[in-house]
Amino acid sequence: MELFFPKEIREGETRVPLVPSIASKFSALGAEITVEAGFGASVKIADSEYEKAGCKITPDRKSALAKADIILRLSPPPGEEISATKKGAIHISYLDPFFNLERVKKLAKAGASAICMEMIPRTTIAQKMDALSSQANLAGYVAVLQAVNKLDKIAPMMMTPAGTLSPAKVFIIGAGVAGLQAIATAKRLGARVEAFDTRPVVEEQVCSLGAKFLKIDLGETGQTDGGYAKELTPEQLELQRQGMAKACAQADIVITTAQLFGRKAPVLIKSDVIDGMMPGSVVVDMAAETGGNVEGSKPGEEVVQNGVTIIGASNLAGCVPLDASQMYASNLFNFVDHFWDKEAKTFNLNREDEIIAGSLLTHDGEIVNETIKEKAG
Ligand code: NAD
């Protein structure tokens, strides 16, 4: 089988979906691996390193796309490249299906079997393929570093002959994968950390990292079978905002990570709360790209309001592209390896398997994922 990794061309993307150590593992499967020339430039990996790992290098993206049995990427494919692929080819990448249904329709029309990395079920067996988790983990770490860098003070407590500096106060909203890593990172830097999440199961995880869990009585909340937060009612959301206002006012850093799978992120910090924060404090909105948890935040930009810097996070994992690429490549490999028929040396698109059933969006000219099909009408 021919596997092709085209060069990432999305503006601002620094990550790549294959690194040489993982390319060797793909080669060991007995697959023919081709990467586009200049593939690793953003992570300073030369073509020759990929060659040493058993990859062919091609400058001809178009023919490689037309020939490949499996195309593996990080960013979703640009529209014009979808129709340029072989009918029946397997396509694996992020697809952002809830916010770009047209792309899914195009993939179906092209006869592609499109696997969506965001839709890989959050099950124990699929953890090693879970790119949402691997990238969110790194993003949580980067968010804290960016916030601390912007702060006019230090994170840890410092007792010196010149006086004692109190630790920075960090408030983290949403303690999923990114939030828990942000808590751990802020704790390692010596900050005093408080966190809140609507899923009650999270309290124990927050406390085990040495942070304090802010308790707000919202009535019944919870999580879906897939482990995602349930959407709050408007009344619950208002109660939450009121309950968090004091923690925000006292914080030097607020990091928001709250997401609702497949939907716009909830607005958790309104302008009046920003106005009540201390000048010089920093807010990182990790949900800026999915609608924003913070009123006024803009993805990829910094806004200053009332002396408070609001960082609209955008591709934070891309700030540590080497590790992010290593992890994403590993997620891709684990996915392919899991379904690889070692004797026939082919990928077995087993639609009975729950991982394929959850993540396969299009097949044989149709949209086959029920949720996406419903949305597409
Ligand atoms: P996510 O990115 O969808 O959301 C981030 C966090 O925001 C979640 O913890 C969510 O509860 C929280 N949130 C949503 N609305 C909120 C609100 N109004 N206020 C405060 N917080 C709010 O979630 P994620 O981090 O990708 O994953 C969530 C959970 O899924 C994980 O913590 C874990 O329990 C589970 N998970 C399981 C596996 C696995 O078993 N393989 C893998 C990944 C995640």
Side-chain angles (χ1 to χ4, degrees):
M1 270 194 137
E2 294 197 18
L3 275 60
F4 177 51
F5 291 78
K7 195 174 163 178
E8 286 296 310
I9 50 173
R10 192 172 74 130
E11 209 191 318
E13 188 52 83
T14 48
R15 298 167 292 171
V16 297
L18 186 68
V19 295
S21 58
I22 306 293
S24 306
K25 292 184 166 193
F26 272 110
S27 302
L29 294 177
E32 193 176 294
I33 316 295
T34 305
V35 303
E36 187 177 348
F39 182 85
S42 61
V43 278
K44 300 167 195 73
I45 300 176
D47 288 350
S48 55
E49 296 299 314
Y50 288 100
E51 269 175 320
K52 277 188 220 152
C55 302
K56 276 199 212 158
I57 309 292
T58 179
D60 189 350
R61 178 182 182 100
K62 220 169 155 193
S63 348
L65 280 171
K67 229 165 53 137
D69 301 302
I70 309 183
I71 297 160
L72 303 102
R73 312 177 188 247
L74 193 138
S75 316
E80 67 280 7
E81 288 194 348
I82 292 176
S83 48
T85 55
K86 185 163 82 177
K87 192 160 184 280
I90 296 169
H91 188 283
I92 311 174
S93 72
Y94 282 130
L95 287 173
D96 198 15
F98 294 99
F99 299 99
N100 196 330
L101 281 169
E102 281 314 306
R103 181 160 45 223
V104 182
K105 288 180 188 167
K106 271 191 185 156
L107 283 158
K109 200 167 160 219
S113 295
I115 298 285
C116 173
M117 289 300 278
E118 296 98 318
M119 302 280 280
I120 287 186
R122 316 295 293 266
T123 57
T124 306
I125 192 163
Q127 242 169 344
K128 58 188 179 182
M129 316 166 192
D130 183 351
L132 285 185
S133 290
S134 72
Q135 304 301 297
N137 215 332
L138 294 170
Y141 163 85
V142 173
V144 174
L145 297 194
Q146 288 200 346
V148 166
N149 255 336
K150 273 276 151 207
L151 212 58
D152 296 332
K153 47 190 285 188
I154 61 166
M157 183 171 90
M158 217 178 254
M159 292 166 89
T160 78
T164 298
L165 299 172
S166 53
K169 293 197 187 91
V170 178
F171 180 42
I172 292 171
I173 304 170
V177 181
L180 288 173
Q181 184 56 252
I183 294 171
T185 305
K187 284 297 293 179
R188 278 185 219 121
L189 289 176
R192 190 177 296 158
V193 187
E194 189 169 24
F196 176 73
D197 197 298
T198 52
R199 290 181 300 124
V201 293
V202 168
E203 178 173 354
E204 197 191 322
Q205 295 163 16
V206 167
C207 295
S208 73
L209 289 170
K212 193 176 148 205
F213 190 79
L214 176 70
K215 287 192 193 287
I216 306 172
D217 186 4
L218 298 178
E220 204 195 317
T221 58
Q223 62 182 32
T224 64
D225 293 342
Y228 289 112
K230 285 192 179 152
E231 192 167 13
L232 300 183
T233 63
E235 293 74 27
Q236 285 178 312
L237 209 49
E238 192 43 45
L239 269 180
Q240 180 187 348
R241 288 192 201 106
Q242 286 168 14
M244 296 189 316
K246 190 171 160 212
C248 290
Q250 291 173 345
D252 298 296
I253 294 174
V254 176
I255 297 177
T256 70
T257 77
Q259 301 276 5
L260 293 166
F261 189 70
R263 266 168 292 170
K264 196 174 160 298
V267 178
L268 301 177
I269 299 187
K270 294 222 169 173
S271 268
D272 58 325
V273 171
I274 299 282
D275 291 340
M277 288 178 69
M278 292 176 287
S281 48
V282 180
V283 179
V284 182
D285 183 356
M286 290 189 66
E289 283 184 321
T290 48
N293 291 148
V294 182
E295 210 168 61
S297 77
K298 295 197 176 80
E301 287 183 33
E302 274 178 33
V303 180
V304 179
Q305 180 182 326
N306 186 42
V308 177
T309 304
I310 305 168
I311 301 175
S314 165
N315 192 7
L316 289 185
C319 296
V320 283
L322 191 58
D323 284 338
S325 302
Q326 162 83 33
M327 283 199 183
Y328 184 84
S330 197
N331 294 141
L332 277 184
F333 172 76
N334 290 329
F335 178 80
V336 172
D337 181 52
H338 191 80
F339 297 103
W340 193 256
D341 181 329
K342 307 249 169 357
E343 274 170 24
K345 297 193 183 353
T346 54
F347 184 87
N348 175 18
L349 191 75
N350 175 9
R351 294 188 58 196
E352 304 294 307
D353 184 280
E354 64 165 3
I355 300 172
I356 299 272
S359 57
L360 183 73
L361 300 194
T362 65
H363 184 66
D364 249 350
E366 306 274 341
I367 298 180
V368 292
N369 178 287
E370 286 309 321
T371 318
I372 303 295
K373 199 169 168 172
E374 218 171 275
K375 284 210 166 255

